[in-house]
Amino acid sequence: MKPKMTLKKIASELGLSISTVSKALKDNKDISKENREKVQAFAKFYNYRPNSVALSLKNKRTKTIGVIIPEIVHHYFAKVISGIEEVANSKEYNVIIGVTNESYNKEIINMEMLIDGSIDGFIISLSKETLQKADYTHLQETINQSIPIVMFDRAVDEIPSDKIIIDDREAGRMAIQKLIDEGRKKILLLTTKDYLNIGRLRTEGYKDALAANRIPFDEDLVVRIGELGDSDEDQRILEERINKVFELHPDIDGIFGVNEIYAVTALNVARLRGLDVPEALSVIGFSDGILSKYARPHLTTVSQHGFQMGEIAAQTLINRLEQMDNGLETPYTTQVVKTDLIIRDSTLNQVVQKK
Amino acid sequence: MKPKMTLKKIASELGLSISTVSKALKDNKDISKENREKVQAFAKFYNYRPNSVALSLKNKRTKTIGVIIPEIVHHYFAKVISGIEEVANSKEYNVIIGVTNESYNKEIINMEMLIDGSIDGFIISLSKETLQKADYTHLQETINQSIPIVMFDRAVDEIPSDKIIIDDREAGRMAIQKLIDEGRKKILLLTTKDYLNIGRLRTEGYKDALAANRIPFDEDLVVRIGELGDSDEDQRILEERINKVFELHPDIDGIFGVNEIYAVTALNVARLRGLDVPEALSVIGFSDGILSKYARPHLTTVSQHGFQMGEIAAQTLINRLEQMDNGLETPYTTQVVKTDLIIRDSTLNQVVQKK
DNA sequence: GTGAAAGCGCTAACAC
DNA sequence: GTGTTAGCGCTTTCAC
């Protein structure tokens, strides 16, 4: 069992001083070539690696990013982390993950646990509960302590920080426009409660598209779904709910679900009712998750580009961190990641001529 | 912008020494009640939190776990991380994630990045490439440096460490037995190349079940699928491959896929060929992932209990870490997590009477 | 009851 | 060219 190598040990082993060894390892020309080589060979042999904790203490930077997300068992967030990891790794940053399970308290606890010097900055997507309470003091205080935050996806205007978002409203509009272009007239919207920005904005987009095409808005066709777990029971409830809408409105000819689960579930419910997709009914979902891809027929979706958002978020945070090191303070930016429609088999290929 | 509070600042602010403040914060009875209260109030007001990097340096333990996984955008691994997070959090440990993308080199780089004192121990599931090369020196060296490793899922016998695995062979046997109990005779096995333990062992289980029921083994019915990405193209190749088997053996009446993708794909291919599931053909998959749940018909699967495996892995590592702190060295354990069959709609409910 | 000092591993300014 | 010193923030032993 090799003991951990330290400068001190190398120094005493080689009969040199600690600082000589330190400099020699940095190939500092101060040190005689002879000693430099000797030290470097020795260090290499014993696989010396400078202790990162000591470095962090000295440099007052940990080269570690804290990522706070609502949920890790979720294709989108996993993709984002992937993107963050990729960029962080290439810049020699580590990534610490904190999961809030959509809880305000856990969000605070998680952040406090890391705010003690463990990390240089945060990348965060707020929990649902936080959005509901609309209490962002913990974020503001973090920023006050000069710990930069990059918010992604679930960001809020109240907090001045860098943000990476998608244009949910435009994405929603685009999806609905696609359905309208196919000739769909009665489009069901499956969305979240309004306190979730993403649901609210996508709903706005839905209205935008209807308005632009002079289709009257019908509140009946908007289903705002509350919290659902991933139990089989909750899933059944969702199916029930959608089924009821179909009973009232059997002539629905388009569906837009603001997430994958809603869309796939609706797709399945519709097919069980004997509706042909996409002949009788087109379905569009949101997110480039795995469900959409394996659903039958393969689901047309608005892609969210999670990986890319992660990359951008990490890059943005690291840039800011490095600027802070140089005493710079640049204005906060909000970067909007473009979404696009991945056309698969749950929508029609040909576009109906508009009248 | 509040500057970060330190003992030093509190001390000078209150006209006390650093060590007095340190003790006062610990409510050490040495210190006068008066001063204790003064210091505590002050610290509370300024939201003092001891710097964790300094503590790590002093204590030589970071209270951080390094988790090395092949892939994060993967339901099973995400679940495992979830379980790890849960336990780690409750024990005040942080979790650093490193993703290898199934690459041997990235595995080494990731581990080296953390082995510099950033973490107290590892939880790891080996990359495919590592298993293929069967080169585990980086693991052995890590252990030699007294950094404990807990391996999960993709563990290897060559490395002495704690291990959390499932009994893949038994799980495979159980699944096949279920199919046989339904009266299935010609069972297709979709598995991985043999260098992946999980594929190999599940294949053994397949053979076990056949043997136990005196059904001859037919190499033709075992399809060993190589690396497949998640591109639409790779997916098409897989479908093609399965389709061909059906052409040669149209009378296949059972399918066991050693992962979700294989099983769901086979399910879809079979249905496209007009086969009725589960009437004409039963399908069983592996993993409690999301695809199985949303597939039509809902897929019967062997559950992997990823969350539970994460919990156990974290608990095991933390136990060992704490024992090491106390100078204890306990023998390594291998914990086998029981799998069970989640019966859904892709298999028959009633069991055919055995002749 | 309080504080000085050493030390965790490292770097860098400054002596020699 | 090499070594001493101070300091990052904290804990703990030991003087006073």
Side-chain angles (χ1 to χ4, degrees):
Chain A
M1 179 174 74
K2 286 186 213 170
K4 189 135 292 162
M5 258 302 145
T6 66
L7 287 190
K8 199 177 176 177
K9 277 187 205 145
I10 301 184
S12 85
E13 209 70 32
L14 259 41
L16 293 169
S17 79
I18 293 179
S19 61
T20 302
V21 173
S22 172
K23 284 179 194 152
L25 284 172
K26 297 204 153 41
D27 215 32
N28 187 321
K29 302 299 177 203
D30 271 6
I31 309 301
S32 68
K33 185 155 193 195
E34 198 183 9
N35 271 340
R36 267 184 283 154
E37 282 170 356
K38 189 162 69 179
V39 170
Q40 287 170 14
F42 189 93
K44 177 150 216 171
F45 181 74
Y46 282 102
N47 221 313
Y48 168 78
R49 314 229 58 217
N51 180 305
S52 76
V53 174
L55 283 180
S56 296
L57 185 58
K58 184 114 226 336
N59 303 333
K60 293 163 149 286
R61 50 204 316 286
T62 58
K63 293 215 104 190
T64 301
I65 294 174
V67 177
I68 309 288
I69 46 168
E71 187 65 82
I72 202 168
V73 188
H74 191 301
H75 194 267
Y76 171 70
F77 287 120
K79 275 263 182 200
V80 174
I81 297 179
S82 244
I84 294 174
E85 269 283 336
E86 182 101 349
V87 171
N89 260 9
S90 75
K91 308 265 178 186
E92 312 244 75
Y93 274 75
N94 285 320
V95 176
I96 291 191
I97 308 275
V99 180
T100 65
N101 279 320
E102 305 286 9
S103 142
Y104 172 76
N105 280 332
K106 278 199 130 193
E107 187 170 298
I108 291 186
I109 291 172
N110 261 300
M111 289 185 70
E112 276 180 351
M113 223 175 130
L114 298 178
I115 228 167
D116 60 2
S118 302
I119 51 98
D120 295 338
F122 282 112
I123 294 177
I124 181 170
S125 183
L126 298 179
S127 79
K128 284 185 190 167
E129 209 188 336
T130 305
L131 293 171
Q132 227 165 341
K133 287 177 103 96
D135 181 349
Y136 313 122
T137 24
H138 55 303
L139 300 175
Q140 189 58 59
E141 276 175 2
T142 303
I143 294 172
N144 290 348
Q145 298 189 29
S146 358
I147 297 176
I149 294 181
V150 171
M151 304 175 91
F152 74 90
D153 198 55
R154 303 202 195 142
V156 291
D157 293 336
E158 288 87 335
I159 297 297
S161 77
D162 291 310
K163 286 160 199 160
I164 324 291
I165 54 171
I166 60 175
D167 188 344
D168 284 291
R169 182 166 183 165
E170 167 58 15
R173 192 201 60 74
M174 182 179 62
I176 302 301
Q177 186 61 53
K178 157 76 174 141
L179 293 176
I180 293 174
D181 286 348
E182 288 179 9
R184 309 304 184 179
K185 295 260 180 296
K186 191 155 183 181
I187 301 171
L188 172 63
L189 173 65
L190 300 170
T191 184
T192 66
K193 300 280 187 201
D194 272 355
Y195 64 82
L196 277 182
N197 258 323
I198 50 168
R200 188 170 49 70
L201 291 172
R202 290 168 198 176
T203 304
E204 296 291 335
Y206 171 87
K207 291 180 184 168
D208 290 350
L210 294 190
N213 293 271
R214 300 172 187 287
I215 300 178
F217 172 73
D218 179 355
E219 186 64 42
D220 250 32
L221 292 176
V222 177
V223 179
R224 292 189 177 75
I225 295 150
E227 281 318 297
L228 282 181
D230 63 353
S231 70
D232 283 12
E233 172 60 9
D234 278 3
Q235 180 55 21
R236 215 191 41 69
I237 293 172
L238 177 58
E239 287 172 11
E240 196 65 31
R241 184 92 183 267
I242 295 171
N243 226 334
K244 260 190 206 130
V245 183
F246 269 110
E247 269 160 27
L248 290 170
H249 302 279
D251 53 340
I252 284 170
D253 57 5
I255 298 179
F256 176 47
V258 301
N259 64 42
E260 200 172 43
I261 305 276
Y262 296 172
V264 170
T265 306
L267 173 69
N268 285 334
V269 168
R271 293 183 75 208
L272 279 177
R273 294 183 66 89
L275 291 166
D276 206 355
V277 178
E279 280 70 22
L281 173 76
S282 285
V283 182
I284 298 185
F286 213 109
S287 132
D288 42 358
I290 195 170
L291 276 184
S292 314
K293 226 165 91 183
Y294 289 89
R296 290 282 156 155
H298 302 314
L299 198 68
T300 294
T301 66
V302 178
S303 83
Q304 261 184 113
H305 301 301
F307 188 84
Q308 197 194 341
M309 287 188 79
E311 288 182 314
I312 298 177
Q315 191 58 66
T316 304
L317 180 58
I318 291 174
N319 281 349
R320 180 162 297 279
L321 250 15
E322 295 188 339
Q323 280 165 358
M324 285 169 62
D325 269 358
N326 301 326
L328 296 177
E329 194 157 340
T330 50
Y332 293 124
T333 62
T334 293
Q335 294 169 73
V336 179
V337 175
K338 262 193 58 193
T339 57
D340 36 45
L341 218 46
I342 302 178
I343 307 287
R344 295 211 186 84
D345 309 328
S346 67
T347 47
L348 296 171
N349 280 324
Q350 74 283 25
V351 164
V352 170
Q353 208 58 38
K354 271 193 257 185
K355 295 177 235 183
Chain B
M1 177 174 74
K2 285 187 215 167
K4 189 134 294 163
M5 258 301 147
T6 65
L7 286 190
K8 198 176 176 179
K9 278 187 202 145
I10 300 183
S12 85
E13 209 71 30
L14 258 41
L16 293 169
S17 78
I18 292 178
S19 57
T20 303
V21 173
S22 172
K23 285 176 193 155
L25 284 172
K26 298 206 149 40
D27 214 33
N28 186 321
K29 303 298 179 203
D30 272 6
I31 309 301
S32 69
K33 185 157 193 187
E34 197 182 12
N35 271 340
R36 267 184 283 154
E37 281 169 358
K38 191 161 69 176
V39 169
Q40 288 169 15
F42 189 91
K44 176 151 216 171
F45 181 74
Y46 282 102
N47 220 313
Y48 168 77
R49 317 230 55 219
N51 180 302
S52 74
V53 174
L55 283 180
S56 296
L57 186 58
K58 185 118 222 354
N59 302 333
K60 293 167 149 283
R61 49 203 320 286
T62 58
K63 293 213 105 191
T64 301
I65 293 173
V67 177
I68 309 288
I69 46 167
E71 188 61 86
I72 202 169
V73 188
H74 191 299
H75 195 267
Y76 170 69
F77 287 120
K79 276 265 182 198
V80 174
I81 296 178
S82 246
I84 294 175
E85 269 283 335
E86 184 100 348
V87 172
N89 259 10
S90 75
K91 307 265 177 186
E92 311 245 75
Y93 275 75
N94 285 320
V95 176
I96 291 190
I97 307 274
V99 180
T100 65
N101 279 320
E102 305 286 10
S103 140
Y104 172 77
N105 280 332
K106 277 198 132 194
E107 187 170 295
I108 291 186
I109 291 172
N110 262 300
M111 289 186 70
E112 276 182 350
M113 224 173 130
L114 298 178
I115 227 169
D116 59 3
S118 301
I119 51 99
D120 294 338
F122 282 111
I123 294 177
I124 182 170
S125 182
L126 298 180
S127 79
K128 284 185 192 170
E129 209 188 336
T130 305
L131 293 171
Q132 227 166 340
K133 287 177 103 95
D135 181 349
Y136 312 122
T137 23
H138 54 303
L139 301 175
Q140 190 56 59
E141 277 176 1
T142 304
I143 294 172
N144 289 349
Q145 299 188 27
S146 0
I147 298 175
I149 294 181
V150 172
M151 304 175 90
F152 74 91
D153 198 56
R154 303 202 197 142
V156 291
D157 293 336
E158 288 87 335
I159 297 297
S161 76
D162 290 311
K163 287 160 200 163
I164 324 292
I165 53 172
I166 60 177
D167 188 344
D168 284 292
R169 183 166 182 166
E170 166 59 14
R173 192 202 59 75
M174 183 178 62
I176 302 301
Q177 185 63 51
K178 157 76 176 141
L179 293 176
I180 294 173
D181 286 347
E182 287 180 10
R184 308 305 185 180
K185 294 261 181 296
K186 189 154 183 181
I187 302 171
L188 172 64
L189 173 66
L190 299 170
T191 184
T192 66
K193 299 282 188 199
D194 272 354
Y195 65 82
L196 277 182
N197 258 322
I198 51 169
R200 187 169 48 72
L201 291 171
R202 291 169 196 175
T203 303
E204 295 291 334
Y206 171 86
K207 291 180 184 168
D208 289 351
L210 293 191
N213 294 273
R214 298 173 189 284
I215 299 179
F217 171 74
D218 179 356
E219 186 64 41
D220 250 31
L221 292 176
V222 177
V223 179
R224 292 189 176 77
I225 294 149
E227 282 318 298
L228 281 179
D230 64 351
S231 69
D232 284 13
E233 172 59 10
D234 278 4
Q235 180 56 23
R236 214 191 42 69
I237 293 173
L238 177 58
E239 289 173 10
E240 195 67 28
R241 184 92 184 266
I242 296 172
N243 227 333
K244 259 190 207 132
V245 182
F246 269 110
E247 271 161 28
L248 289 170
H249 302 278
D251 54 341
I252 285 169
D253 57 6
I255 299 181
F256 176 47
V258 300
N259 64 41
E260 201 171 43
I261 305 276
Y262 296 172
V264 170
T265 305
L267 174 69
N268 285 333
V269 169
R271 293 183 75 209
L272 279 177
R273 295 182 66 89
L275 291 166
D276 205 356
V277 178
E279 280 71 21
L281 173 76
S282 286
V283 183
I284 298 185
F286 213 110
S287 132
D288 42 358
I290 194 170
L291 275 184
S292 315
K293 225 166 91 183
Y294 289 88
R296 290 285 156 154
H298 302 313
L299 198 68
T300 293
T301 64
V302 178
S303 83
Q304 263 184 112
H305 301 302
F307 188 84
Q308 198 195 340
M309 288 189 78
E311 287 181 314
I312 297 177
Q315 192 56 68
T316 304
L317 180 59
I318 291 174
N319 282 349
R320 180 161 297 279
L321 251 14
E322 296 187 340
Q323 280 165 357
M324 285 170 61
D325 269 358
N326 299 326
L328 296 178
E329 193 155 340
T330 50
Y332 293 123
T333 62
T334 293
Q335 293 171 73
V336 179
V337 175
K338 260 193 58 192
T339 57
D340 36 46
L341 219 45
I342 303 177
I343 306 287
R344 296 213 186 82
D345 310 328
S346 66
T347 46
L348 296 172
N349 280 324
Q350 74 281 26
V351 164
V352 171
Q353 208 60 36
K354 268 193 257 183
K355 291 179 236 182

